[in-house]
């Protein structure tokens, strides 16, 4: 099947957000219900004020209908994000390990469940700073020794969102570099053999 | 780079003539020279399309010097400052400098081949950082206002050749997609 050009290179951020919504999160329901069987599993029972574990997509849907309050995940507190930001800034060589769906989850929670988070505007600006620090490191890494030789790029601890932004450019650039490499003896023999 | 038979880019890139000299006399093909001679004489120069020149040269019926886009003058300019060389108008058409160079390199002997490929590779590597910065900048900048960029970035942008332009578009596109996602609000804020 032929995809339109902008979908050909990898997952779009919207698709990655959709995948991120599979993760479980805690909510405090504002309604009462027994256990419910959905296609993806059995959730509940929902008895306020105790919390329940549901997938993120369900939590967001309930939140939009004002039927629950979302409990922010423990890595989304101001202190934790500030620590991560400090580590990123100090560590110029590598990236900090973040929860895999960090960026997508935090953005979606900030959009939908702003009132359940502490100091959302501060959180937003911290996350923006974090993203910019990581982007700057990516840009420096793209001009590193390994890339210039066309061999490799160190991407430990990059989240899927950053990777999918990076991938099309890097793959094409390395492809061009590889095709411009001087021909070697064994390569020519291989080609003739085919 | 795709060398696919059906790739339009590679077809366009090869669509150039090479000026070759025959190594022997050929009877009856005088019309290739455009004159009224019946035969081609040894050492006469003829402009041949690449597909013909490639086969003839591989079989050693013709030889050709390195064409102007890859001359020593261009090499020296690249050594001095790779980013300020305008690669887009060195080769006619849409300017596929790297691809055309690769096709020529396939026909050369080992040493000039390695040399030419090295020149191409070094030029690409030296232009890559500027390309990345430019595409990252264009992914996030607002383009409703005319930009007053510095002279080197302007010359670089005008001088990008075909493959570099594609790379730039890809980088800009993915950057823009991520930025739009960041700035969007989800859009489905029903019932607030």
């Amino acid at each position: 099947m032929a995809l339109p050009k902008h979908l050909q290179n990898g997952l779009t951020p919207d698709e990655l957000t959709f995948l991120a919504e599979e993760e479980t999160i805690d909510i405090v329901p504002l309604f009462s219900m027994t256990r419910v069987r959905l296609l993806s599993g059995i959730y509940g029972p929902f008895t306020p004020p105790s919390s329940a574990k549901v997938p993120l997509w369900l939590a967001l849907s309930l939140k939009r209908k004002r039927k629950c309050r979302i409990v922010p995940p423990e890595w989304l507190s101001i202190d934790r994000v500030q620590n991560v930001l400090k580590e990123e800034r100090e560590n110029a060589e590598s990236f900090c390990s973040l929860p895999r769906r960090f960026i997508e989850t935090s953005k979606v929670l900030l959009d939908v469940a702003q009132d359940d988070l502490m100091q959302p505007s501060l959180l937003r600006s911290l996350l923006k700073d974090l993203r910019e620090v990581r982007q700057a490191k990516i840009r420096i890494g793209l001009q590193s020794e390994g890339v210039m030789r066309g061999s490799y790029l160190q991407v430990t601890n990059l989240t899927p969102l950053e990777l999918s932004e990076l991938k099309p450019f890097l793959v094409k650039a390395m492809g061009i570099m590889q095709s411009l490499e001087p021909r070697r003896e064994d390569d020519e023999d291989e080609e003739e053999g085919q | 780079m795709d060398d696919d038979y059906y790739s339009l880019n590679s077809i366009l890139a090869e669509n150039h003539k090479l000026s070759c000299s025959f190594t022997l006399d050929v009877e009856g093909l005088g019309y290739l020279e455009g004159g009224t001679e019946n035969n081609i004489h040894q050492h006469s120069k003829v402009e041949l399309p690449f597909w013909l020149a490639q086969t003839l040269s591989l079989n050693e019926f013709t030889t050709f010097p390195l064409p102007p886009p890859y001359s020593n003058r261009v090499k020296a300019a690249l050594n001095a400052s790779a980013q300020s060389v305008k690669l887009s108008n060195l080769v006619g058409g849409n300017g596929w400098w790297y691809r055309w160079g690769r096709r020529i390199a396939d026909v050369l002997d080992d040493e000039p081949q390695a040399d030419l490929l090295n020149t191409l590779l070094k030029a690409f590597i030296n232009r890559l950082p500027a390309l990345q910065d430019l595409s990252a900048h264009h992914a996030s900048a607002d383009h409703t206002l005319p930009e007053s960029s510095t002279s080197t970035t302007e010359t670089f942008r005008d001088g990008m050749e075909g493959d570099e332009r594609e790379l730039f578009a890809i980088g800009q596109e993915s950057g823009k997609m991520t930025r739009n996602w960041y700035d969007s609000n989800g859009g489905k804020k029903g019932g607030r």
Side-chain angles (χ1 to χ4, degrees):
Chain A
M1 185 184 92
L3 286 174
K5 191 92 195 217
H6 70 276
L7 295 178
Q8 262 173 16
N9 287 319
L11 294 172
T12 67
D14 288 321
E15 290 170 349
L16 284 169
T17 319
F18 181 75
L19 289 173
E21 290 178 353
E22 281 293 310
E23 313 241 329
T24 50
I25 195 171
D26 282 326
I27 61 166
V28 175
L30 299 174
F31 62 99
S32 226
M33 200 154 95
T34 53
R35 284 192 313 177
V36 61
R37 169 187 294 215
L38 300 178
L39 273 183
S40 59
I42 302 178
Y43 306 113
F46 299 110
T47 46
S50 57
S51 67
K53 267 190 169 348
V54 294
L56 185 58
W57 56 266
L58 185 55
L60 294 173
S61 160
L62 289 174
K63 175 76 193 177
R64 288 190 185 111
K65 300 177 188 154
R66 301 196 221 197
K67 293 213 174 140
C68 75
R69 277 201 329 268
I70 297 191
V71 176
E74 44 135 19
W75 44 261
L76 201 55
S77 65
I78 298 276
D79 296 327
R80 285 287 286 271
V81 178
Q82 269 172 342
N83 278 342
V84 171
L85 185 56
K86 205 157 69 88
E87 266 182 55
E88 282 284 0
R89 285 198 171 125
E90 287 167 2
N91 212 346
E93 293 292 313
S94 57
F95 299 93
C96 289
S97 148
L98 291 177
R100 194 171 157 83
R101 304 290 182 185
F102 181 76
I103 306 182
E104 298 96 316
T105 321
S106 58
K107 174 179 183 294
V108 128
L109 284 177
L110 274 171
D111 281 341
V112 178
Q114 210 171 217
D115 47 350
D116 289 334
L117 302 169
M118 296 181 309
Q119 301 173 284
S121 42
L122 179 57
L123 204 52
R124 231 187 266 268
S125 74
L126 282 176
L127 289 171
K128 199 162 148 64
D129 288 340
L130 183 62
R131 182 195 170 217
E132 278 168 16
V133 170
R134 285 172 77 98
Q135 289 284 75
K137 277 201 239 180
I138 291 177
R139 288 251 292 280
I140 294 179
L142 274 179
Q143 301 178 9
S144 72
E145 179 75 35
V147 174
M148 288 301 140
R149 277 199 320 246
S151 1
Y152 74 96
L153 174 71
Q154 179 91 322
V155 292
T156 352
N157 285 334
L158 276 184
T159 62
L161 191 76
E162 293 163 337
L163 276 176
S164 74
E165 183 185 354
L166 179 59
K167 189 170 76 140
F169 183 87
L170 187 67
V171 166
K172 184 162 167 91
M174 283 210 173
I176 294 182
M177 276 196 266
Q178 190 184 48
S179 63
L180 288 178
E181 293 260 309
R183 305 277 182 271
R184 279 183 291 269
E185 282 290 325
D186 36 56
D187 281 350
E188 288 183 22
D189 290 333
E190 263 182 43
E191 281 188 35
E192 286 182 70
Q194 288 172 9
Chain B
M1 261 192 265
D2 52 339
D3 277 336
D4 194 21
Y5 185 71
Y6 293 107
S7 152
L8 288 178
N9 288 339
S10 74
I11 293 177
L12 286 175
E14 301 179 355
N15 193 20
H16 300 291
K17 292 201 165 57
L18 272 182
S19 172
C20 313
S21 5
F22 275 85
T23 54
L24 36 84
D25 291 335
V26 184
E27 289 190 30
L29 287 181
Y31 62 89
L32 282 179
E33 269 185 298
T36 49
E37 294 263 329
N38 260 341
N39 308 327
I40 305 183
H41 302 293
Q42 192 177 17
H43 299 308
S44 59
K45 285 179 77 128
V46 187
E47 293 255 323
L48 295 174
F50 178 70
W51 50 271
L52 193 55
Q54 183 180 30
T55 321
L56 291 179
S57 299
L58 283 176
N59 287 318
E60 311 222 351
F61 295 133
T62 59
T63 60
F64 61 91
L66 213 50
Y70 308 98
S71 61
N72 282 330
R73 199 171 68 93
V74 175
K75 262 205 282 203
L78 285 171
N79 269 335
S81 159
Q83 296 176 5
S84 30
V85 179
K86 272 181 155 225
L87 292 181
S88 53
N89 44 17
L90 280 184
V91 189
N94 244 343
W96 298 90
W97 191 72
Y98 294 107
R99 288 186 198 233
W100 180 225
R102 271 222 359 253
R103 304 299 275 143
I104 293 184
D106 284 337
V107 195
L108 295 173
D109 297 323
D110 289 334
E111 212 203 280
Q113 178 187 73
D115 202 39
L116 177 60
L117 285 175
N118 236 328
T119 316
L120 294 176
L121 188 60
K122 287 232 300 275
F124 182 72
I125 290 179
N126 283 329
R127 289 163 74 91
L128 194 56
L131 189 79
Q132 286 163 3
D133 288 337
L134 202 65
S135 84
H137 176 250
H138 278 253
S140 51
D142 178 22
H143 283 269
T144 53
L145 315 161
E147 287 185 10
S148 55
S149 21
T150 65
S151 56
T152 38
T153 46
E154 271 300 313
T155 39
F156 183 70
R157 197 153 64 116
D158 291 334
M160 283 200 287
E161 62 100 61
D163 277 312
E164 290 173 340
R165 273 198 300 262
E166 281 191 1
L167 202 52
F168 171 79
I170 288 178
Q172 183 189 26
E173 177 70 38
S174 51
K176 235 202 273 187
M177 208 164 49
T178 314
R179 187 182 69 101
N180 284 341
W181 176 79
Y182 255 105
D183 295 338
S184 79
N185 242 336
K188 313 173 265 184
K189 290 180 84 136
R192 276 277 197 117

